[in-house]
């Protein structure tokens, strides 16, 4: 009955958000540069898509969709990007030329799009090495997605991702292989979920009550390690199934939901999961929550794949690679956090720790929800989430230290005879 009411509330919230959401909403942006190449007989043409928000940070000057296309500024930006692009083949260095300049909205982020022409010295296009480090030389977390058009096709295959360590990539004129696209998509999936604070927070909110049992509207300690492990596997698997379904349907074009609606519902999913971590809303239904809200998270993943403009042939390999990257990152998060949560759940401190973490998640989710439904113009606690996402291992170490301290304190109380041991207490 409770589950039915929860679903009804979600559907109602979806309807309200969908009704009030304006088009072109921006939320959960990836802000990745894309270099899309089209090999020809005598030259390679293409486009460079630069996220304006990252360009602004890299150049340390205010930029907007309106200012980047002003003639003087556009010339300045074109010269800047041109100075960070080189190409070379067997015959020597190629000529690099950038022209045009327009603003396009990609993955809900405004991008400056420049037309690129690479010309070999002998006029014969062959395999070549592309070097690119615009923005990368200033923002180490930035990435550049490189894709090449397949011969005789009008779609792209992902070739690789450049980052602060890797500025050079070999471009085969015959087109990228499926393996190239698959590996590039795996890395993109890892990065997307690794930087997607909301996706990670949703998963953490679901893991918080995983070591516990719901009894009479409260969470109580219970179950052995094997049963707790099975419960975690169910939650992670259910989330994977949910987002995989809508990721595939959305990327293939069978489902389309406005970005703001999706992002707002993702914030709502964290909020509901946070409340559930404090008080069981759906006793024993964590897997259903994970699967249900996973459907929404999958739509957000699909928006990125769709905006890359990849072809159907490449899309299958890219979908598999992207999803594999997501699952690998989630498993790493579970491996880093779950042992500490299991240890803490055996101590008397866990109710306080769980409530504090769930409360923090609720606050973050409420701020995201307010921003994504335009109740507030900017999220004042974004710096907090950015700092947490930027230092995942520090967060894991801090939680492990807290678990060790809690276990030690519980053991000390047992030795002094004031309490039962953590192990005996669960019998």
């Amino acid at each position: 009955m409770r589950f039915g009411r929860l679903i009804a509330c979600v559907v109602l919230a979806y309807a309200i958000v969908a009704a009030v959401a304006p088009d072109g909403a921006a939320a959960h942006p990836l802000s990745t540069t894309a270099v899309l190449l089209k090999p020809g007989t005598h030259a390679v043409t293409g486009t460079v898509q630069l996220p304006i928000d990252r360009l602004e940070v890299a150049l340390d000057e205010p930029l907007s969709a309106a200012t980047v296309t002003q003639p003087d500024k556009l010339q300045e930006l074109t010269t800047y990007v041109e100075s960070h692009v080189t190409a070379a083949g067997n015959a020597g260095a190629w000529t690099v030329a950038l022209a045009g300049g327009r603003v396009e909205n990609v993955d809900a982020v405004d991008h400056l799009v420049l037309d690129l022409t690479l010309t070999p010295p002998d006029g014969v296009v062959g395999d070549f090495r592309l070097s690119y480090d615009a923005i990368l030389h200033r923002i180490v977390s930035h990435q550049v997605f490189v894709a090449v058009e397949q011969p005789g096709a009008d779609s792209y295959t992902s070739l690789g991702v450049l980052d602060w360590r890797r500025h050079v990539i070999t471009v085969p004129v015959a087109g990228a292989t499926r393996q190239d696209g698959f590996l590039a998509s795996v890395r993109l999936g890892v990065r997307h979920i690794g930087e997607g604070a909301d996706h990670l927070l949703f998963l953490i909110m679901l893991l918080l009550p995983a070591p516990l049992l719901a009894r009479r509207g409260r969470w109580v300690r219970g179950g052995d390690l094997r049963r707790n492990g099975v419960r975690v596997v169910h939650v992670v698997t259910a989330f994977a199934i949910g987002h995989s379904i809508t990721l595939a349907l959305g990327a293939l074009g069978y489902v389309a939901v406005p970005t703001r609606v999706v992002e707002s519902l993702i914030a709502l999913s964290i909020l509901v999961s946070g409340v559930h971590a404090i008080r069981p809303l759906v006793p024993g239904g964590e897997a259903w929550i994970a699967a249900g809200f996973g459907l929404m998270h999958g739509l957000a993943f699909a928006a990125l794949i769709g905006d890359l403009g990849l072809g159907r042939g490449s899309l299958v390999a890219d979908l598999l690679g992207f999803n594999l990257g997501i699952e690998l990152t989630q498993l790493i998060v579970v491996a880093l956090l779950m042992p500490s949560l299991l240890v803490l759940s055996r101590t008397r401190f866990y109710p306080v720790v769980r409530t504090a973490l769930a409360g923090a998640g609720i606050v973050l989710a409420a701020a995201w929800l307010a921003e994504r439904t335009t109740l507030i113009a900017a999220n004042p606690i974004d710096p907090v989430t950015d700092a947490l996402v930027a230092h995942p291992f520090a967060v894991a170490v801090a939680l492990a230290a807290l678990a060790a301290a809690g276990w030690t304190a519980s053991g000390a109380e047992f030795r002094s005879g004031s309490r039962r041991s953590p192990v005996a207490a669960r019998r």
Side-chain angles (χ1 to χ4, degrees):
M1 198 62 177
R2 285 183 175 179
F3 183 67
R5 286 201 295 269
L6 177 63
I7 294 299
C9 291
V10 171
V11 172
L12 178 60
Y14 177 91
I16 294 173
V17 174
V20 303
D23 294 334
H28 194 73
L30 188 68
S31 291
T32 299
T33 293
V35 178
L36 307 178
L37 302 169
K38 299 180 180 179
T41 304
H42 303 295
V44 175
T45 59
T47 58
V48 179
Q49 302 172 346
L50 301 111
I52 295 174
D53 57 353
R54 293 296 187 267
L55 200 56
E56 182 179 31
V57 175
L59 299 179
D60 193 23
E61 62 175 299
L63 295 173
S64 67
T67 60
V68 296
T69 52
Q70 293 175 359
D72 291 343
K73 182 55 65 180
L74 180 59
Q75 182 58 49
E76 178 186 328
L77 295 174
T78 301
T79 302
Y80 160 72
V81 177
E82 204 169 75
S83 67
H84 288 273
V85 183
T86 62
N90 292 332
W94 293 24
T95 300
V96 177
L98 285 165
R102 57 194 178 278
V103 174
E104 293 183 3
N105 192 271
V106 180
D107 195 27
V109 177
D110 285 332
H111 284 62
L112 173 63
V113 180
L114 300 171
D115 297 320
L116 172 68
T117 302
L118 305 173
T119 308
D122 56 359
V124 179
V125 172
D127 295 353
F128 65 99
R129 297 179 302 281
L130 175 71
S131 176
Y132 183 100
D133 70 345
I135 300 181
L136 288 177
H137 69 111
R138 292 289 181 84
I139 303 178
V140 296
S141 62
H142 192 65
Q143 291 195 336
V144 178
F145 180 83
V146 182
V148 61
E149 189 178 78
Q150 296 294 104
D154 58 357
S155 59
Y156 294 92
T157 296
S158 52
L159 188 62
V161 177
L162 304 179
D163 55 28
W164 67 278
R165 293 165 299 186
R166 184 194 185 200
H167 297 167
V168 181
I169 191 169
T170 299
V171 180
V173 173
T177 65
R178 297 285 172 80
Q179 184 180 9
D180 293 331
F182 179 79
L183 294 177
S185 297
V186 170
R187 288 192 288 270
L188 195 62
V190 169
R191 176 179 169 79
H192 188 64
I193 198 73
E195 289 192 346
D198 47 6
H199 300 303
L200 292 177
L201 191 57
F202 174 68
L203 184 61
I204 292 171
M205 291 298 105
L206 291 178
L207 294 178
L208 283 176
L212 307 175
L213 294 175
R215 291 284 187 271
R216 299 178 180 179
R218 300 173 62 88
W219 291 113
V220 298
R221 191 186 308 170
D224 53 22
L225 285 177
R226 180 179 174 279
R227 183 172 180 176
N228 293 336
V230 170
R231 202 177 299 143
V232 171
V233 170
H234 285 170
V235 169
V236 174
T237 303
F239 182 54
I241 292 173
H243 73 64
S244 296
I245 291 173
T246 44
L247 169 60
L249 292 177
L252 293 171
Y254 294 115
V255 177
V257 180
T259 303
R260 186 179 294 279
V261 175
V262 173
E263 300 299 341
S264 299
L265 288 175
I266 287 175
L268 181 64
S269 72
I270 302 166
L271 198 153
V272 172
S273 301
V275 173
H276 179 69
I278 296 175
R279 290 279 184 178
L281 299 176
V282 188
E286 290 78 20
W288 286 105
I289 295 178
F293 283 125
L295 296 172
M296 301 167 199
H297 289 249
L299 290 173
F301 302 151
L304 171 65
I305 291 289
D307 284 331
L308 293 179
L310 304 175
R312 285 297 179 96
S314 168
L315 188 55
V316 175
D318 287 324
L319 273 176
L320 292 174
F322 189 71
N323 216 23
L324 178 60
I326 290 173
E327 305 309 335
L328 288 174
T329 309
Q330 288 180 168
L331 290 176
I332 291 173
V333 171
V334 172
L336 286 174
L337 301 183
M338 207 58 221
S340 299
L341 294 179
L342 288 172
V343 171
L344 273 170
S345 71
R346 269 26 191 189
T347 72
R348 64 187 178 90
F349 305 106
Y350 195 55
V352 175
V353 173
R354 174 173 49 82
T355 302
L357 292 176
I362 291 171
V363 171
L364 292 173
W368 281 325
L369 186 60
E371 181 189 28
R372 295 171 185 185
T373 53
T374 69
L375 291 177
I376 58 176
N379 188 344
I381 53 179
D382 264 347
V384 176
T385 56
D386 291 344
L388 293 174
V389 170
H391 303 92
F393 293 106
V395 174
V397 169
L399 188 62
L402 184 62
W407 182 268
T408 302
S410 297
E413 289 174 353
F414 164 68
R415 288 190 293 273
S416 68
S418 60
R419 295 181 64 87
R420 300 174 66 196
S421 75
V423 175
R426 67 174 184 267
R427 291 174 180 168

